[in-house]
Amino acid sequence: MSMTATRSPSASRDLQVTTFRLGELLLGLEISAIREVSRVGAMTPVPSAPVAVRGVINLRGDVVTVLDLRAILGLCPALLTSASRLLIVTAHDELIGMLVDGVEDVVGVTEENREDLPANAGHFDSRFFRCVYKLESELLVLLDIVAVLAHDSAGR
Amino acid sequence: MFEGDAEILGDFVTESREGLSEIESNLLAIEAAGADLDLNVVNKVFRSIHSIKGAASFLGLSRIGELSHNMEHVLSEVRNRSLIPTSPIVDQLLRSADQLKLLIESVETSNTVDVSQNVRELKRIDQRYAGPDDLSVAPQLNVEPSVIQPPAQDFGVDGSVIQQQIAAGQNVFEVVFDLLSDREAFQLSDLVLRLQDVGSLLGSYLDSSGYAGTAGEPLEWHVLYATVLNADQFATFFSLPSQRVRPQVGVVDESGVDVLLSASAAASAAETPEPGQESGSLKDSCASGSDGQTPDVGAGPVEHSFRDTDRGGERVGVNESAGTRKMPATEANIRVSVSVLDRLMNLAGELVLSRNQLLIAAAGGDGRVLESTCTRIDQVTCELQDAIMQTRMQPVGTVFSKFTRIVRDLAQQLGKQCELEIHGKDVDLDRTIIEAISDPLTHLVRNSMDHGLELPEIRKQKGKNPVGTIKLTARHQEGKVLLCISDDGAGINADRIRQKAIEKGLISADSALTMSDRDAVQLIFTPGFSTAEQVTSVSGRGVGMDVVKTNIERIGGSVEIETAIGTGTTMLVQLPLTLAIIPSLIASCRGQRFAIPQLSILELVRVKAEELCERLGRVNQSEVLRLRGNLLPLVRLDHIFGDSNKSEASTPQLTHIVVVESGRIRFGVVVDQLHDSEEIVVKPLGRHLKHLAFLSGATILGDGRIAMILDAGGLANQAQLQSKQQGLQTSAAAAETVDQSEQISVLLFSNHPGEWFGVPMSIIVRIERIRANQIDSVASRKVLQYRGGTLSLLSLEECIDARPREPSDHLFVIVFRRADREIGLLAPDVFDIRQITSDLDSVSFQETGVLGSCVIDGRTVRILDAFELSTSDCGAARTLIRREPETVPGVDTDAGRSATVLYAEDSAFFRNKITKLLQEQGWQVIACEDGQAAWEKLCEGVEPQIVLTDVEMPRMNGFELCQQIRSSGRWPDLPVIAITSLAADADRARGIQCGVTEYLVKLDRDLLLSTLSRHLGMPCERV
C-alpha cells in the first residue's frame, strides 16, 4: 500500500516527510511509506549475502532483512552508532529495514518548495531520488524507495 | 470497460474462484448420483454459476456471462429433473467450468477469448432434450441413448422384477424397435420369437406419439428385455443400431416410484462411498464410459448397483460425502472450524492469565510461583502451537479428491479403463505441503495411468482384469506421512531403463551392468529421461519425473519407486507433517549459529585431534574424511560463505562434522561447535536473500537472535560436490547392490598415465603431496625428509612390472605402515576412490605385490598388495626391509606350528589369500565358506585353537557364529577374532556383545598375525 502511495500523483501535493541523514546528505522519505522506526538491535549477518544486505533482525517474530542504504547509494558502509536507526518499510508484502545514520525529524514540505533534481546530483546515482525540497537552511532530497528496493534485488 | 474498478473486479475473481473450486466435485457428485438427484448439490452449483453470470454481466464481462448463462441453463434443466445428468452432460459442464476458470483467472482479457465451442456444446445438450429424435445422430453411441429417460413412459413393470433379473445375472435393456422401418428386416411375430429365444420379455409399450401416419415417421415399440447378452451383442444379434439398446437398471427412489436409470450413472453412484465405510475408500468407476465395449464391465456395475439397491433404498452418502468434501485450498484464505477457533481463543485467554501471573511472580520475586507459572506458560504454548498447527492442517483428501476427475478424464483420453481407490484421505498435512504436493502427485498419477496401466485388451491377454486399479494411499509412518501411488499395471522394466539411460548418455554401459534393478528404476528421476515409447500429451516429454523429485525434496520429502514387472508399480512419497516447525540441530561456525534440519542429518562425527591427519585426505583438491572405509567429502562453512579470512584454513581445525545427505549426495559439514537440538520455527528469508540456495530460511532462537537454516542440497551445490562426487556416488550405489560380495575401497592412482593401480584404502595411513626435489637418494634408496625423520619411498616400477613414472614437479606419496615403520609409495597422480568387490581377478596378473586386477571405468586396474611390495621379494624393495622373523611375529615357536585356525570367509579371494598367509606361518587352516560351514566343522569335532571369521557372510554371519559358539558353552575360552571391512563403532559394539574376542580390519596382515600369535600364546614383539 505504501508503494502505491509514493508513486501516485498525490506526491506532488504537500507531504509529511521523515528526514534522516546519510553523512552530510539530508534525505527524506514520506512518512506514509514508513511503518516504524526502530533501533538497531542484535543483527545477524547473512553469509554470502549481497553487499547491501547488512543482515537480518528479529522484529517481533518476523525475520527482517536489513539493507544498508549507504551501500545502495554507493557510499561506504555505515558504521553502527547509537544514533543508527532502521526505517522499517513494507515492500512486496515483506518488511525491510533500511539502515540510516540517524533519523532527524518529521517535516511538512509544500509543493512551492519542490524542485526537480539538479542536473548535477553530485556523486549519487540520481535514479534513487525523486525530487528536492528547499527547506529553510538546506536541501532535502526525497528518496525513491521503490527504486532503492528494486535496485538491490536486481543488482546483487 | 470496467472503469478501472480493480477492487470490484478483484472481489469478483475471488468470489468466483471460491464458487468454482467446489463445482468440480459437486458436478462429479451429480454425475454419480445420476437420476437420483440431490437438489442441494445441484442448487449449490447452480447458485455459483448464477452469481458469476450476474456479476459478469454487471461488470461487462460478456464472454464469462455468455458461458455461465448457458451452463446455468443446462443446470436448471437438471434441477427441475427434466434432464438426467449423465457422463456426457457432466463432461460438458466440467469442460465449461474449466473454461470459466480460465476466463476468470485472466479476467481482463476474458472478453477476447472465444468460448463459442463450449457454448455450442451446451446448447446442443439443450436441443437434444428438446428433440429426442436427435439421439440417433449423437456421436457417442454407447452412452447417448440413456441421456434422456422419459420418466412418464413406463412399462408398467415393478422395479423389483428388474432387480430380480439383474440379480440372476441378466442384463436388462430397453430396446426400441421401429415397427415401420424395421419391417423389412423382420416380422413382428418372428421378432417376438427371437426375443424369447435369447431372453425374456418383461414388458413393452407402443409409442405412437411420433407417428402421424406419414411414411418415414417412427412408430416405436419399446421393449423391456432381460438377457444374458450385453448391449453390443444384442444389437448385433438383431442388427439394430446400438443406440436403440439402452441398458437399464431399476432403482427405487424415495417416493417409491420406479425410475429408470442409465447403467453408467447407477454404476458410478454405487461406487461412491458411504460414510460408514470402513476404510473410507472412494472408488471411482472410470469404466463407465465404455460399458458397452466389454461384457465384464457391463455386468460389473450392474451387480454393484443391485447390491446397493438391495439395502432397501437407503441410499445415502453420495451427496453427503460430496457436500462435506473439502476443496483444495490454493487461495490465501483458509477456513478454520469454529471449534478450533474457540480452542485458540481459550488458549489465548490462558496465556494472558499466565502472563499476569508471571508479572506478579516477577514482581514478588517468589521463585516457586515463578516456576509454576513458567510450567503453565510452557503448557499453554505447546497447546497453542498445536491448535494453530491444526488450523494449518488439512486432510490430504483435498488433493486426492481431484484425482477422481483426473483419472476419469485420462482413462477416456487414453482408452484405458481404470478404477481409483483412495485410502486414508483423512490424514492431515500442513497446507503448504498439500499445495506443494498437488502437482507432483498429479504427475505421478498421470504417469501411472499412461505408462503403468496397460490397454484393456493387453490386460485381458495377460489374464488381468481389464479394468486397472490405481490406489492412492496416505498413512502416518514414523512421524511422517507416506503417500503411495500404486497401479497394477505392467511394472517398470529395469533393463529397458538401463538401455535408455545408456542411450541418453546418463550412465555408462559399465555402471549399468553393476547397477541393481532397484537403482536402475530410480534412474527415471534423472533429468532428461523418458521411457514412453512415444511422447504422449499425458505424460509429456519426460521432463517431469526429475522435477517431481526435486519438488518433493524441496519440501523435505523423498520419493521412491517399487516395481514388479507384470504386477505393477508403487511410488512411495514420504512427506514431513509440516514445514513450519522442524527439529534441527544448532551448530556454530565462526561464532555464528546455524540450524541444520535433523531430517537431513545422518550422524555426527567427532574427530580427535591426533587422528586428524590420518583421517583427513584430499581428492581432487577437495577435502575428504575417511569414515569407515569410505571417503566423505567435507564442506567447510567458512569456505562456502566465501569468508575472506582464511588464516585458519591452513591449520585443519576440525573436530565436529555433521554428516548430512541430500538426494544421493552425502557429505560432512565441518562446524566449530555443536549445540542443542531444537524445534525451530521456519521463517522465510526476504527476497534479497532468496537466491542463497544453501539457506532454506531463518529461525529465531530462544534468546531472540536469528539463526540461518542450512539446506543440505544447496550446500552441496555451492561446494560443487555434485560433479566431483559422482564417482563416489555411483560406487556407493554399486556397493548397495552387491550385498553378498564384500566391498573394498581402493585409492586409484597411476604411475605412468597409461596404467592404473589401486591400493586398498584400509591400509593407507595418509596421503602426502610433495615436491619432486624433496626426494633424497641415499645409497640407492629413495627417502623423504619428513616430520623430523626419514620416510622410505618405493617406486612402483622398481617393485613390479610397471611402466616408469614420468618426471613431474609434484608427487603424491601414499603412506602406509609396515611393521613398525611407515613406508611411502610414490604416486604421480592420485585421482579417485572407488568401491570394488573383493572378487578380484587373481589370475591375469600373477605377480608379487599385486593382489589381483579388476576393471574400473573400462580400464584394467591392478590392485596392489602394499605389504608384499615392501618385502624383499619385490625387486629393489628388498633393501628396504630385511626379511626378519620379527617382522612376521611368532613364526618360529613350536607351539605355533601345531596351531589350528578355523577360518570362515565367504569371499574366495580373501579365503585363499589369508589361508595362504596363515599357512606360511605354519599354522593349520580349516577354511570354510561361511559361518554355517564353520559351525558344522566345530560340531564335527574339529578343535581349533582360534576362530577367525568374516562378519558379512551368507547363511550364518560372523556374529551369529560367535553367538553360537558362546551359547553352546562348549568353547567358552575359544578366541574368536572377527575380521571385516566394516569397522564401525556400532559393529564393534555388536561384536563384543556377541562375544567376539577381537575385531580387526581386513588387509592389515601384520596386525592379524600379531593378534593371532598373541592369542595362540606365542611370543610377540608388538601388540
Side-chain angles (χ1 to χ4, degrees), chain B residues 354-374:
Chain B
S354 306
R355 181 203 56 191
N356 294 347
Q357 275 182 338
L358 187 66
L359 290 175
I360 294 166
D366 186 342
R368 263 183 307 171
V369 180
L370 197 64
E371 206 172 291
S372 70
T373 316
C374 281

Side-chain angles (χ1 to χ4, degrees), chain B residues 23-340:
Chain B
I23 269 191
E24 190 170 285
S25 65
N26 285 339
L27 280 175
L28 288 173
I30 289 171
E31 180 187 17
D36 194 16
L37 214 56
D38 182 334
L39 279 184
N40 285 335
V41 182
V42 181
N43 275 332
K44 222 185 246 174
V45 180
F46 185 83
R47 273 197 305 270
S48 350
I49 296 293
H50 182 78
S51 40
I52 290 173
K53 173 185 143 180
S57 52
F58 171 73
L59 291 165
L61 301 165
S62 55
R63 293 290 180 247
I64 295 176
E66 191 181 348
L67 189 58
S68 48
H69 170 76
N70 281 288
M71 285 177 76
E72 185 197 60
H73 192 73
V74 172
L75 284 166
S76 75
E77 298 290 339
V78 172
R79 188 168 63 158
N80 57 33
R81 294 184 192 269
S82 48
L83 189 63
I84 290 176
T86 49
S87 294
I89 292 182
V90 172
D91 241 356
Q92 187 49 51
L93 285 173
L94 283 171
R95 270 199 297 274
S96 307
D98 289 346
Q99 170 93 55
L100 203 54
K101 262 181 219 170
L102 283 178
L103 290 177
I104 283 164
E105 286 311 319
S106 50
V107 70
E108 272 92 356
T109 56
S110 71
N111 278 0
T112 60
V113 178
D114 179 27
V115 296
S116 58
Q117 167 88 20
N118 272 314
V119 168
R120 217 168 31 239
E121 295 284 337
L122 286 169
K123 279 191 172 142
R124 197 187 287 170
I125 295 178
D126 253 9
Q127 285 158 3
R128 267 184 227 151
Y129 175 67
D133 285 351
D134 286 357
L135 282 181
S136 51
V137 297
Q140 284 170 300
L141 297 181
N142 300 316
V143 205
E144 287 302 318
S146 48
V147 168
I148 293 105
Q149 292 295 343
Q153 296 170 340
D154 200 346
F155 292 99
V157 178
D158 195 276
S160 62
V161 175
I162 301 175
Q163 287 168 21
Q164 278 162 16
Q165 292 293 341
I166 292 166
Q170 303 274 310
N171 292 329
V172 181
F173 305 118
E174 182 191 352
V175 192
V176 184
F177 295 98
D178 188 342
L179 295 182
L180 297 175
S181 61
D182 288 341
R183 258 179 80 171
E184 289 107 83
F186 41 73
Q187 293 284 317
L188 187 57
S189 50
D190 282 348
L191 181 64
V192 174
L193 281 176
R194 282 175 71 187
L195 281 173
Q196 281 168 348
D197 263 349
V198 289
S200 51
L201 257 157
L202 301 178
S204 69
Y205 66 86
L206 198 64
D207 180 15
S208 57
S209 58
Y211 183 66
T214 332
E217 283 181 311
L219 180 58
E220 290 182 347
W221 184 45
H222 293 247
V223 176
L224 189 64
Y225 185 66
T227 173
V228 289
L229 300 178
N230 71 23
D232 271 1
Q233 291 166 331
F234 182 83
T236 325
F237 194 68
F238 285 93
S239 339
L240 281 175
S242 59
Q243 69 268 27
R244 296 243 218 114
V245 183
R246 304 169 191 171
Q248 299 300 324
V249 175
V251 171
V252 184
D253 72 2
E254 311 86 16
S255 58
V257 177
D258 288 347
V259 293
L260 292 169
L261 187 61
S262 85
S264 58
S268 322
E271 304 279 14
T272 326
E274 287 155 46
Q277 227 164 351
E278 327 73 63
S279 59
S281 87
L282 172 73
K283 277 182 165 189
D284 185 7
S285 164
C286 296
S288 55
S290 34
D291 271 348
Q293 290 168 353
T294 47
D296 324 36
V297 184
V302 168
E303 269 169 33
H304 280 302
S305 71
F306 177 71
R307 190 192 58 208
D308 225 81
T309 47
D310 203 26
R311 290 180 192 156
E314 288 179 2
R315 220 128 76 62
V316 283
V318 174
N319 306 309
E320 278 170 38
S321 73
T324 50
R325 199 183 284 160
K326 285 170 208 140
M327 283 299 94
T330 43
E331 292 82 33
N333 309 315
I334 54 165
R335 286 163 203 272
V336 179
S337 79
V338 177
S339 65
V340 173

Side-chain angles (χ1 to χ4, degrees), chain A residues 1-154:
Chain A
M1 60 179 184
S2 49
M3 290 303 101
T4 47
T6 9
R7 271 198 162 155
S8 68
S10 68
S12 63
R13 297 198 308 271
D14 297 355
L15 284 176
Q16 290 282 307
V17 174
T18 306
T19 62
F20 52 93
R21 292 213 179 257
L22 286 189
E24 293 296 296
L25 186 68
L26 184 67
L27 284 169
L29 191 57
E30 279 165 81
I31 202 164
S32 59
I34 299 174
R35 201 179 124 126
E36 66 179 274
V37 176
S38 94
R39 285 175 186 276
V40 186
M43 189 149 57
T44 309
V46 181
S48 300
V51 186
V53 177
R54 284 296 286 256
V56 287
I57 56 155
N58 168 15
L59 186 75
R60 293 185 300 279
D62 278 318
V63 174
V64 173
T65 311
V66 175
L67 298 181
D68 188 343
L69 189 56
R70 296 179 65 111
I72 294 173
L73 298 184
L75 298 168
C76 61
L79 289 174
L80 288 182
T81 67
S82 57
S84 297
R85 290 290 183 277
L86 293 175
L87 305 179
I88 309 292
V89 296
T90 317
H92 302 98
D93 291 330
E94 167 194 345
L95 293 179
I96 303 258
M98 301 273 283
L99 182 63
V100 297
D101 290 350
V103 171
E104 303 241 308
D105 206 350
V106 175
V107 294
V109 291
T110 53
E111 181 60 18
E112 301 90 74
N113 296 332
R114 182 175 187 272
E115 279 179 21
D116 287 342
L117 279 181
N120 56 342
H123 46 282
F124 294 113
D125 195 335
S126 59
R127 71 191 151 126
F128 298 125
F129 306 129
R130 296 242 310 278
C131 56
V132 176
Y133 288 98
K134 265 191 289 188
L135 300 186
E136 278 169 23
S137 53
E138 57 185 326
L139 285 178
L140 169 72
V141 184
L142 195 65
L143 198 67
D144 186 342
I145 186 76
V146 177
V148 167
L149 295 175
H151 154 78
D152 197 67
S153 57

Side-chain angles (χ1 to χ4, degrees), chain A residues 42-50 53 56-58 61-63 65 67 91-92 94 96 149-150 152-153 156, chain B residues 592-594 640-642 683-689 691-692 694-695 698-701 704-708 718:
Chain A
M43 189 149 57
T44 309
V46 181
S48 300
V53 177
V56 287
I57 56 155
N58 168 15
D62 278 318
V63 174
T65 311
L67 298 181
H92 302 98
E94 167 194 345
I96 303 258
L149 295 175
D152 197 67
S153 57
R156 61 179 72 107
Chain B
Q592 213 184 325
R593 283 175 295 178
F594 295 93
I640 295 285
F641 299 156
K683 308 265 178 180
L685 285 174
R687 76 198 150 93
H688 295 90
L689 303 170
H691 67 284
L692 298 173
F694 58 86
L695 299 179
T699 187
I700 297 170
L701 296 175
R705 299 200 59 150
I706 294 175
M708 297 292 153
Q718 191 83 5

